[in-house]
Amino acid sequence: RFADDELLAKLKGVLPARASHLVAQATSEDAKPPRTLKVLFALARGGCAIVRPSWVEASRAAGRWVDVERHLAGYGPPRAAGAGRRILDGLAVHVAPGALGPKDPSSSALTALVSAAGGRSVALRHAAVALVGADWKAADCRQAGLRALHRSGCALRFRWLCEAVEAGDADAVARELYATNS
């Protein structure tokens, strides 16, 4: 659970903490549903099956909740909630609100996603990683701390967080991104 569930309830697209299933519609039967904030929260928290609408229909027809296995929506079986290492596992992350653009998720939503994935939201001076928007440019940045994180390969686009959550392995995604930033 998050420290401030009321705040999370106000955030558009955030999955409730107690959700056990997320019904997500894909564009075709074989495709994964779009990677929305709700899908990312379900993956980050674990313990939440991402299913197709066919699961609801089959459950209604059976008069009980049916097994989700045949109705999983392309993200595999639900990750175990709270079991083992979480994706960000204590990583100190600064969401840079001034570095997010109008098409990027809100800083509140990204901060909540960092927390759901096990990361710690911290001030810039304490951050190991800073999340910036898709269109952020280091040359336009006036924050020395953010430029320093960028020089060390640790000012990452918010898509890094999305890819880490989806992959379930922040280290692998970070290695890949650091290699491409070098």
Side-chain angles (χ1 to χ4, degrees):
R1 289 183 50 91
F2 291 100
D4 192 348
D5 280 336
E6 277 186 37
L7 170 65
L8 291 178
K10 293 176 186 176
L11 297 173
K12 181 180 177 186
V14 175
L15 188 69
R18 292 181 195 85
S20 60
H21 296 77
L22 172 64
V23 179
Q25 183 69 50
T27 54
S28 72
E29 192 60 33
D30 296 333
K32 281 185 182 178
R35 188 170 62 184
T36 64
L37 279 174
K38 286 184 181 182
V39 166
L40 291 169
F41 271 89
L43 292 169
R45 289 184 183 146
C48 184
I50 303 170
V51 296
R52 297 184 183 284
S54 62
W55 174 72
V56 176
E57 295 159 8
S59 296
R60 183 183 311 158
R64 61 175 177 77
W65 295 118
V66 299
D67 186 50
V68 298
E69 186 126 350
R70 291 186 24 209
H71 305 281
L72 292 172
Y75 289 98
R79 297 175 186 157
R85 183 172 180 246
R86 293 200 309 177
I87 295 162
L88 297 182
D89 199 32
L91 182 67
V93 179
H94 175 72
V95 177
L100 296 173
K103 294 181 182 177
D104 299 324
S106 71
S107 60
S108 299
L110 289 175
T111 298
L113 186 56
V114 165
S115 179
R120 294 180 302 114
S121 182
V122 298
L124 180 59
R125 69 181 173 272
H126 301 296
V129 169
L131 294 180
V132 297
D135 298 327
W136 181 79
K137 293 175 181 59
D140 298 338
C141 180
R142 292 196 166 109
Q143 290 180 291
L146 196 50
R147 287 194 316 270
L149 283 172
H150 170 71
R151 282 192 301 275
S152 66
C154 295
L156 302 173
R157 309 272 180 225
F158 76 86
R159 79 174 164 80
W160 167 80
L161 176 61
C162 299
E163 291 171 6
V165 166
E166 186 174 346
D169 185 355
D171 293 336
V173 174
R175 284 191 300 274
E176 178 182 323
L177 286 171
Y178 292 147
T180 60
N181 287 342
S182 302

